[in-house]
Amino acid sequence: MPRKLFIKTYGCQMNVYDSERMAEAMGAAGYEQTATAEEADMILLNTCHIREKAAEKVYSELGRFKGLKAANPDLKIGVAGCVAQAEGEEIIRRQPLVDLVVGPQSYHRLPAMEAKVRDGGRAVDTDFPEEDKFAHLPARPLPDRAPTAFLTVQEGCDKFCAFCVVPYTRGAEVSRPVARILAEAEDLVTRGVREITLLGQNVNAYHGEGEVGPWGLARLIRRLAKIDGLARIRFTTSHPNDMEDDLIAAHGDCPKLMPYLHLPVQSGSDRILKRMNRKHTAEQYLRLIERIRVARPDLLLSGDFIVGFPEETEADFQATLDLVEAVGYGQAYSFKYSARPGTPAAERATVDPDVADDRLQRLQALLKRQQIAAQEAMVGRNVTVLLEKPGRLPGQMIGKSDYLHAVHVTTDQPRGTLLPVRIAASSANSLAGETMTGL
Ligand code: 5AD
Ligand code: SF4
């Protein structure tokens, strides 16, 4: 009987990708995934450190496994991800239920750590090893899965925005070599994947070893676009200062690169941008957006915003609203600032939480209006939808348009089909598509 592994994933797409890879590594060590913690022989929490009180939430989640461990003394509990990296040994000290703590750079060592804890030991590994963790993980089996996949191409970040833990939890920026990425992408396509999203904390800083010297992200995308059967390429998340000319150009001349870009700016106030250590002004960001839109006029923009950053005044916040008005986002994420221990901004005086809440609501109302406007602008247009899974109604399929809008459509075509549709209507969070006659 294979042992059962339950993984709970928090946070970003990179954690989703990492969880898949951990499941595969543990598969090679005799584990099969289960969707219920109750029947697991091992529970892994793949944690995220980006939100407020992240570590505290992990400790309370772990406390809930007490009963399970009492019922099954052989149950092993592990903590992975960015809280594991940030807390390290402290987790084992504070929560005796935990057997294993593994940082994001050490997942390839998981099977060896598992063997150690099976023998009754405890294992902690939060190193930043030299080797590429993915090269040491087994190939990805993809039984009956969606036609879309994530592919991590770089990890870590050297930007040190004053609010952000990523440079500490994921470490310095490291790019995977081109050849490994190509091999993984080709393998995914052989298994039916039609759309690949290249992942990295700061993905457009990619500079992986190519044939002769390092390649930038644009060159990697252009090379990936030559893979037959791969229809769509996306990437996330980017820093404005790493949007190089060639990458902007690729948005115009590489048809497989989708017209959607997540380009966080965080604030529209130069004073706050400086305090955030973003190393660009609002004006530079707006100019950049203009240049990208020259290359690809129909590009749908997405972003991240933080309100209530230390010392943010009403005028600073107004500058953020102005920037949002000027850009016109198709979709965006906005957060209330919260201090992350160890980051420079954590030392600074905070904005009154009620004021921050009020600003968040105002920003979200504006972003929501823009999102609805962008969706409504799609009505009447012809788009291509990559069918991903059956919808709620019989005969219905759901997929994503080029612009990453969720579209449902009645069709007998299977998942993985790139279906041309006409957008008939826009609702809260999705679009309704109609197949076109004669196709
Ligand atoms: N407080 C609020 N939001 C944050 N983010 C990162 N750190 C913090 C923080 N300390 C947001 C940023 C980033 C996104 C992933 O999370 O907007 O782009
Ligand atoms: Fe964090 Fe992104 Fe800034 Fe890097 S660029 S420090 S990941 S917010």
Side-chain angles (χ1 to χ4, degrees):
M1 273 275 284
R3 290 205 167 100
K4 292 217 160 34
L5 172 69
F6 173 76
I7 306 187
K8 186 161 176 182
T9 307
Y10 300 81
C12 65
Q13 289 144 329
M14 191 167 294
N15 269 10
V16 174
Y17 177 86
D18 281 347
S19 288
E20 282 177 19
R21 307 307 309 271
M22 283 193 278
E24 290 149 16
M26 295 298 284
Y31 278 79
E32 176 174 281
Q33 248 180 305
T34 169
T36 42
E38 285 70 24
E39 61 172 41
D41 300 290
M42 174 170 257
I43 294 177
L44 270 181
L45 295 185
N46 190 7
T47 62
C48 167
H49 203 262
I50 209 106
R51 296 280 148 257
E52 195 165 14
K53 301 201 182 81
E56 292 313 311
K57 285 178 189 155
V58 170
Y59 285 116
S60 75
E61 178 83 30
L62 286 168
R64 272 183 246 143
F65 296 136
K66 200 166 183 172
L68 289 183
K69 196 129 178 174
N72 173 13
D74 284 340
L75 171 66
K76 302 296 175 195
I77 296 178
V79 181
C82 292
V83 173
Q85 187 66 41
E87 295 278 297
E89 298 259 356
E90 175 65 15
I91 298 184
I92 282 185
R93 264 192 299 263
R94 249 184 87 176
Q95 182 45 276
L97 290 176
V98 174
D99 303 282
L100 178 163
V101 176
V102 59
Q105 304 312 322
S106 304
Y107 293 155
H108 54 296
R109 297 177 176 170
L110 199 53
M113 295 173 77
E114 189 272 342
K116 190 171 162 199
V117 303
R118 278 285 149 222
D119 285 342
R122 294 173 110 190
V124 177
D125 191 336
T126 52
D127 288 353
F128 285 103
E130 283 290 303
E131 70 264 22
D132 178 351
K133 68 175 178 191
F134 299 118
H136 295 264
L137 287 169
R140 305 169 72 176
L142 296 164
D144 185 36
R145 51 165 296 154
T148 61
F150 295 124
L151 202 175
T152 293
V153 302
Q154 78 77 233
E155 268 187 272
C157 181
D158 297 336
K159 291 282 188 288
F160 291 92
C161 297
F163 50 81
C164 184
V165 285
V166 166
Y168 310 97
T169 57
R170 291 275 172 165
E173 202 278 307
V174 180
S175 293
R176 297 178 67 199
V178 172
R180 294 231 183 90
I181 295 167
L182 287 180
E184 196 171 328
E186 268 157 16
D187 178 56
L188 288 168
V189 171
T190 321
R191 295 156 197 253
V193 168
R194 316 267 346 246
E195 172 179 312
I196 291 179
T197 301
L198 306 176
L199 288 184
Q201 264 93 26
N202 189 7
V203 71
N204 59 344
Y206 177 82
H207 60 274
E209 205 48 51
E211 277 136 29
V212 203
W215 285 24
L217 186 65
R219 190 160 175 201
L220 179 68
I221 289 170
R222 291 179 194 284
R223 176 61 189 81
L224 287 167
K226 290 189 183 154
I227 300 177
D228 278 343
L230 178 62
R232 293 170 156 192
I233 302 169
R234 305 179 188 276
F235 61 91
T236 194
T237 279
S238 300
H239 190 289
N241 291 0
D242 292 316
M243 279 310 290
E244 283 172 1
D245 292 350
D246 193 17
L247 189 54
I248 296 174
H251 278 282
D253 62 29
C254 180
K256 291 188 181 180
L257 182 58
M258 291 294 99
Y260 178 98
L261 178 65
H262 182 66
L263 195 62
V265 64
Q266 314 292 357
S267 169
S269 155
D270 289 344
R271 212 176 65 88
I272 295 297
L273 286 169
K274 199 167 177 77
R275 282 169 168 71
M276 285 178 164
N277 193 33
R278 290 289 293 180
K279 300 198 174 77
H280 61 75
T281 62
E283 187 58 33
Q284 283 165 334
Y285 180 82
L286 291 171
R287 289 259 164 74
L288 175 63
I289 298 295
E290 259 168 38
R291 286 174 54 219
I292 305 168
R293 280 183 168 151
V294 168
R296 184 76 203 221
D298 60 338
L299 188 88
L300 193 136
L301 267 161
S302 162
D304 291 345
F305 296 89
I306 295 177
V307 303
F309 188 76
E311 297 168 42
E312 185 188 69
T313 63
E314 181 58 28
D316 292 320
F317 175 65
Q318 190 56 52
T320 298
L321 294 178
D322 293 346
L323 178 139
V324 171
E325 291 280 10
V327 171
Y329 288 90
Q331 192 272 339
Y333 305 93
S334 47
F335 312 97
K336 190 166 78 161
Y337 170 74
S338 78
R340 294 300 118 76
T343 58
E347 313 295 318
R348 304 178 198 161
T350 50
V351 167
D352 179 334
D354 290 340
V355 171
D357 277 331
D358 175 65
R359 287 180 190 163
L360 186 62
Q361 278 182 25
R362 285 152 66 199
L363 176 60
Q364 288 185 340
L366 172 59
L367 290 168
K368 185 81 201 169
R369 283 200 297 279
Q370 293 193 340
Q371 184 200 320
I372 290 170
Q375 277 182 214
E376 280 172 357
M378 301 306 297
V379 176
R381 285 186 54 183
N382 297 336
V383 297
T384 303
V385 176
L386 176 57
L387 302 181
E388 286 180 27
K389 57 184 180 206
R392 259 182 301 136
L393 303 178
Q396 204 181 52
M397 292 291 283
I398 297 184
K400 298 276 167 51
S401 76
D402 296 358
Y403 306 94
L404 212 55
H405 284 125
V407 180
H408 49 90
V409 55
T410 302
T411 173
D412 51 14
Q413 296 297 309
R415 66 157 73 166
T417 305
L418 281 156
L419 189 71
V421 306
R422 184 183 160 277
I423 300 301
S426 163
S427 62
N429 287 310
S430 66
L431 300 173
E434 286 169 347
T435 48
M436 289 175 279
T437 43
L439 286 165

